[in-house]
Amino acid sequence: MALREAELIPIYQHLHQIPELGLEEHETQAYLLKLIAAMPQDWLTVKRVASVPTAILVKVSGQQHDYRIGYRTDIDGLPVTEQTGLPFASKHPGKMHACGHDIHMSVALGILSYFAENQPTTDMIFIFQPAEENASGGMRLFQSGALDGDWRPDEIFAFHDNPNLPTGAIGCRMGTLFAGTCEIHAHLTGKSGHAAYPHQAHDMVVAGSALVQQLQTIVARNVDPIQSGVVTLGHFTAGTIGNVIAGEAQIDGTIRALTQDMNLLIQRRVRTITEGIALAYDCDIDLKLNQGGYYPVENNDAITADFIDYMQRADGVNFIETQPAMTGEDFGYLIHQIPGTMFWLGVDSPYSLHSEKMVPHTDAIMRGVDAMTGFLTHRNALRQA
């Protein structure tokens, strides 16, 4: 029997107790494999990935094999010490499903169990992906070749839980849902010296301050005001004592942008400004820009229009059009390679994602399963037609 609420809530509670960090999700993987093995196996094929060992791929063989619909869930937790007081709180000290990936997995299992009993028209590829939070799991999985050939979806779907939406609500929008991100790491090297003899030194407090100030002009003067971008420099260290001129400095920050083109434009300006500061202040700057596969989640126009139309018409679905978020999601890499749609599932919590007190409403699980089994059945029917 397909998994329903009576089975999915205990599954969620168990997953909540065993959070693991990216690429370390061995206990989670073993539990998922056990649940998948208990489903009807007539149309299921399970695949492991040697280079991404905690990933799980499951193919549901359809009646036709000329098209594949993908569905992805992430499985990792965060290095957060839980403070929810739940009777099923994390058993792993310093680790928590504070981002709701336990909700994501529970919904994915419910959808998979439905299609394990109701053969789809097309092949379906379910992706249980590790390391969304910190190690570019989506990019790793794609670049491993695991999704090549008849394991590569022609379209792909995923969701993220949203504590700011009503429980069970489906939120989506045309265009970008999540921003792309890029890390900034700049190490400045000049020449230290005595505070009384500044002309004999190359001061990296001054150079670093100039770099911080100039990088803040990018959004103000290079980004189209109708569009969006963020440059935040959250870490700046230099020097040891007040009467010694600092010969080194370290600056770290992040770029956020709603399109990959904008992300790349900001990266180019960061490089150009950094080169200019190095020349102006007679220092060396080792600049590293690391996008790491965290591309913007840019929803496909045609697929998303169909998704929104379906959810607006579906019985029992509360659809809400949402605004883009400046947070990052590594589904952006997969959707950059494979057209698809990402959406929000409301879980109505007073605490934000990544909070040590975040508790999602579990009524959202079954609503998410029902909405997506209906929609994916609809997408299958389009292929049959």
Side-chain angles (χ1 to χ4, degrees):
M1 178 181 293
L3 296 171
R4 300 298 292 174
E5 189 168 59
E7 295 83 28
L8 289 171
I9 298 301
I11 287 171
Y12 157 76
Q13 292 175 347
H14 183 81
L15 288 166
H16 187 82
Q17 293 179 78
I18 57 169
E20 296 167 291
L21 302 184
L23 304 177
E24 299 175 3
E25 308 96 332
H26 300 288
E27 187 177 357
T28 301
Q29 182 193 54
Y31 182 60
L32 292 171
L33 288 169
K34 176 183 174 182
L35 294 170
I36 294 166
M39 298 176 188
Q41 299 294 301
D42 300 27
W43 306 305
L44 299 191
T45 303
V46 177
K47 179 179 178 180
R48 304 278 292 277
V49 183
S51 60
V52 192
T54 51
I56 305 170
L57 303 181
V58 184
K59 180 190 289 184
V60 185
S61 294
Q63 300 162 25
Q64 303 170 9
H65 305 291
D66 60 342
Y67 198 81
R68 289 167 292 277
I69 297 175
Y71 185 88
R72 170 269 203 178
T73 182
D74 34 17
I75 69 172
D76 55 324
L78 283 163
V80 171
T81 298
E82 183 165 351
Q83 296 180 25
T84 62
L86 292 170
F88 52 89
S90 171
K91 295 180 179 178
H92 294 171
K95 300 173 187 177
M96 178 187 174
H97 272 301
C99 206
H101 295 184
D102 43 2
I103 290 278
H104 300 184
M105 288 184 277
S106 302
V107 172
L109 289 165
I111 298 169
L112 175 59
S113 71
Y114 174 85
F115 288 106
E117 293 194 354
N118 299 274
Q119 187 180 22
T121 301
T122 72
D123 289 347
M124 299 185 71
I125 309 296
F126 285 79
I127 301 167
F128 293 83
Q129 178 214 299
E132 187 277 326
E133 293 290 353
N134 64 347
S136 309
M139 183 176 72
R140 287 172 181 265
L141 192 59
F142 187 87
Q143 293 182 351
S144 75
L147 298 177
D148 289 350
D150 60 4
W151 285 85
R152 178 167 179 150
D154 293 285
E155 60 185 57
I156 193 165
F157 300 92
F159 80 86
H160 203 295
D161 62 317
N162 188 329
N164 298 316
L165 292 180
T167 300
I170 301 292
C172 194
R173 70 184 307 274
M174 300 293 291
T176 302
L177 189 71
F178 280 90
T181 70
C182 177
E183 296 176 359
I184 301 171
H185 303 290
H187 188 78
L188 294 76
T189 304
K191 182 180 179 182
S192 62
H194 195 290
Y197 305 105
H199 59 291
Q200 296 177 357
H202 298 156
D203 191 340
M204 291 305 97
V205 169
V206 175
S209 298
L211 180 59
V212 170
Q213 291 286 344
Q214 290 300 310
L215 291 182
Q216 294 308 307
T217 69
I218 295 173
V219 173
R221 287 295 174 265
N222 300 124
V223 171
D224 184 337
I226 307 259
Q227 300 184 43
S228 296
V230 172
V231 177
T232 294
L233 303 170
H235 175 248
F236 183 170
T237 56
T240 56
I241 193 170
N243 64 352
V244 175
I245 293 171
E248 294 187 67
Q250 180 69 37
I251 298 172
D252 303 291
T254 183
I255 296 167
R256 305 289 168 112
L258 294 181
T259 67
Q260 183 63 2
D261 287 345
M262 180 58 69
N263 201 317
L264 293 174
L265 181 150
I266 295 174
Q267 289 182 45
R268 288 194 296 273
R269 290 298 298 147
V270 169
R271 290 191 183 95
T272 300
I273 289 172
T274 301
E275 290 168 1
I277 293 295
L279 184 63
Y281 290 87
D282 197 10
C283 64
D284 294 320
I285 304 179
D286 180 17
L287 175 68
K288 291 183 172 60
L289 298 176
N290 178 24
Q291 188 157 2
Y294 290 83
Y295 289 26
V297 176
E298 298 183 66
N299 285 335
N300 176 269
D301 287 346
I303 295 171
T304 305
D306 184 56
F307 177 87
I308 292 173
D309 179 67
Y310 175 88
M311 293 300 173
Q312 287 176 329
R313 293 184 294 103
D315 291 340
V317 173
N318 175 18
F319 177 79
I320 299 173
E321 184 173 351
T322 57
Q323 296 300 309
M326 277 297 178
T327 47
E329 229 291 348
D330 89 337
F331 187 65
Y333 187 87
L334 292 177
I335 208 170
H336 191 74
Q337 313 296 329
I338 304 165
T341 297
M342 190 170 206
F343 62 98
W344 294 107
L345 177 66
V347 295
D348 190 21
S349 170
Y351 297 101
S352 67
L353 297 172
H354 293 205
S355 167
E356 69 278 3
K357 295 184 178 181
M358 212 283 271
V359 179
H361 283 192
T362 54
D363 287 352
I365 294 173
M366 203 64 237
R367 297 188 199 180
V369 171
D370 288 342
M372 282 310 289
T373 52
F375 173 71
L376 293 172
T377 298
H378 157 77
R379 291 299 291 180
N380 271 273
L382 292 179
R383 300 304 304 174
Q384 195 169 36

